[in-house]
């Protein structure tokens, strides 16, 4: 595959700035590959970024060499086999439309957690990082300026984007191979801090000599495999989410919450507009408890709309330790079509070891849905029963009203609307809880809610 190393095109008009510690770029054609012999084992080493590279680790024996001076000398001598890398050094691949070559490899760890960093190089675009912890790949760019302070002292801003503090630590270099623009060797330790926003991570590394900042973009599963022939089994969703991995449910949760809010508001508006009632007929009847039931015909009741709901309400204000059974039949005078329903008013009270108690309701509301227009008679079969024998008669006020509010239907509709949103939110909550569980603050409700806003 032909690349800038082979064709050596003229440099762009505005070349990207090299990272801190990088020697200034030389004018003219791209740096040529330079070969040198390892003083430790005699192996031939090719420098891909000759003129920029400060340290190189021999791929044959692992010795760390100082190549900043013409007289190559050994910084630390090893005699060990090179690691088998997922991306062999010298491999070229294209990311974001630019061809990069893997020239260096670091394996780092912190409290038993291990990750890998590949140093990429392009002679006209400088250095980049390809980072993986086994769950996904990130493409890192070194900053040439300091981030700005954000809100609450827990955020930093780069290019107008806010990053929330995630974790502080101390990273240990376990293994090193290839060439680097600064002096590095196994055993080095640096302080670290990570700040995140969905899909991005801002990382700081500090030592006694130098501080560096890197912004890393989370790559899609398969990007690295297509570019370098490497990849992950299981994709980014395998195991605990990465610190800067976006929740896969956020994209659907936001519109789902918006739709649910509009639907719920519409339901309540429709309930207020069409759920009211207007009284058409009312009459008071008297029933003697524990006697033969009484049949009453009430009317006429005029329903003048094409279709309407009807509410029949029975109230027995003096009912106590008794109940009234009410069988209703609304009969159309013209067609003799009958619409039947049932109502029950009951009220009980007394005293026990816990004090006074009461239960039941002296009001019974019975609702009928969608009756056609017409003139109706209401036939009532009423029967009262006395629990203690104290009541001699029960007075019941029966009223017929046009309209009805079916609260059970409203509740059922709300469940249908909110249940899918609740399930999506629960999955998002579990994802964010697992992701934030690795942070210094842990999974707080504030951070979980902030994640819905893309933070």
């Amino acid at each position: 595959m032909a690349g800038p190393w082979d064709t050596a095109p003229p440099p762009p008009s505005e070349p990207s700035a090299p990272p801190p510690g990088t020697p200034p770029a030389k004018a003219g054609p791209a740096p040529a590959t330079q070969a040198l012999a390892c003083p430790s084992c005699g192996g031939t080493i090719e420098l891909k970024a000759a003129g920029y590279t400060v340290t190189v680790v021999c791929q044959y024996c692992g010795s760390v060499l100082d190549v900043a001076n013409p007289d190559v000398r050994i910084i630390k001598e090893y005699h060990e086999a090179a690691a088998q890398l997922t991306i062999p050094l010298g491999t070229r691949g294209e990311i974001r439309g630019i061809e990069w070559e893997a020239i260096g490899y670091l394996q780092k760890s912190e409290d038993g957690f291990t990750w890998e960093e590949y140093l990429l190089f392009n002679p006209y675009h400088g250095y980049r990082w390809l980072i993986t912890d086994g769950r996904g790949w990130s493409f890192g760019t070194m900053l040439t300026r300091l981030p700005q302070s954000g809100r609450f002292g827990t955020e930093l801003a780069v290019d107008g984007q806010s990053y929330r503090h995630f974790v502080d630590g101390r990273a240990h270099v376990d293994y090193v191979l290839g060439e680097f623009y600064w002096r590095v060797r196994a055993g080095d330790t640096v302080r670290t801090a990570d700040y995140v926003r969905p899909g991005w991570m801002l990382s700081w590394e500090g030592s006694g000599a130098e501080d560096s900042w890197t912004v890393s973009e989370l790559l899609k599963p398969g990007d690295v495999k297509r570019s370098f022939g490497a990849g992950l089994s299981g994709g980014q969703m395998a195991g605990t989410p990465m610190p800067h991995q976006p929740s896969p449910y956020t994209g659907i949760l936001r519109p789902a919450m918006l739709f649910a809010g509009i639907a719920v508001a519409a339901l309540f508006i429709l309930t207020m507009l069409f759920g009211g009632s207007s009284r058409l007929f009312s009459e008071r009847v008297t029933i003697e408890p524990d006697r033969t039931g009484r049949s009453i015909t009430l009317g006429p009741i005029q329903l003048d709309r094409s279709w309407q709901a009807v509410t029949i309400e029975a109230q027995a204000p003096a009912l106590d330790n008794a109940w009234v059974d009410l069988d209703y039949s609304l009969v159309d005078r013209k067609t003799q079509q009958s619409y039947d329903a049932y109502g029950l008013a009951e009220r009980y009270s007394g005293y026990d070891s816990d004090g006074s108690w009461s239960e039941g309701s002296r009001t019974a509301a019975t609702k009928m849905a969608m009756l056609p227009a017409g003139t109706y008679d209401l036939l009532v079969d009423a029967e009262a029963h006395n629990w203690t024998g104290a009541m001699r008669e029960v007075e019941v006020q029966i009223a017929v009203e046009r309209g009805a509010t079916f609260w059970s239907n409203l509740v059922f509709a709300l469940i249908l609307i909110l249940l899918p949103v609740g399930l999506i939110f629960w999955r998002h909550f579990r994802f964010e809880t697992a992701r934030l569980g690795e942070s210094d603050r842990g999974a707080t409700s504030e951070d979980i809610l902030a994640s819905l806003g893309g933070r």
Side-chain angles (χ1 to χ4, degrees), residues 166-218:
F166 193 82
V167 67
D168 292 329
R170 188 173 290 273
H172 182 269
V173 178
D174 297 326
Y175 190 86
V176 59
L177 189 64
E179 54 187 280
F180 301 89
Y181 57 84
W182 81 103
R183 288 181 172 83
V184 60
R185 60 183 177 179
D188 289 349
T189 300
V190 294
R191 291 178 296 135
T192 62
D194 292 328
Y195 298 76
V196 300
R197 68 183 181 92
W200 298 81
M201 178 183 289
L202 174 64
S203 300
W204 167 78
E205 287 190 358
S207 63
E210 186 179 31
D211 292 348
S212 64
W213 292 90
T214 302
V215 172
S216 302
E217 178 187 2
L218 184 64

Side-chain angles (χ1 to χ4, degrees), residues 254-338:
R254 292 174 188 164
M257 293 176 66
L258 177 61
F259 171 79
I262 295 174
V264 169
L267 274 177
F268 279 102
I269 292 174
L270 290 174
T271 299
M272 289 187 291
L273 290 177
F274 301 103
S277 59
S278 57
R279 182 157 294 188
L280 302 175
F281 180 88
S282 179
E283 188 166 324
R284 191 182 304 272
V285 297
T286 301
I287 307 169
E288 296 183 6
D290 302 320
R291 298 291 182 90
T292 303
R294 181 181 178 186
S295 296
I296 310 159
T297 300
L298 306 175
I301 299 167
Q302 187 67 39
L303 303 180
D304 50 10
R305 296 178 181 174
S306 299
W307 296 92
Q308 58 258 289
V310 171
T311 299
I312 304 174
E313 186 177 84
Q315 293 183 342
L319 191 66
D320 189 42
N321 287 318
W323 69 96
V324 180
D325 291 306
L326 299 163
D327 290 309
Y328 302 118
S329 294
L330 267 175
V331 181
D332 191 322
R333 288 185 175 183
K334 183 178 180 180
T335 64
Q336 293 301 302
Q337 177 68 44
S338 176

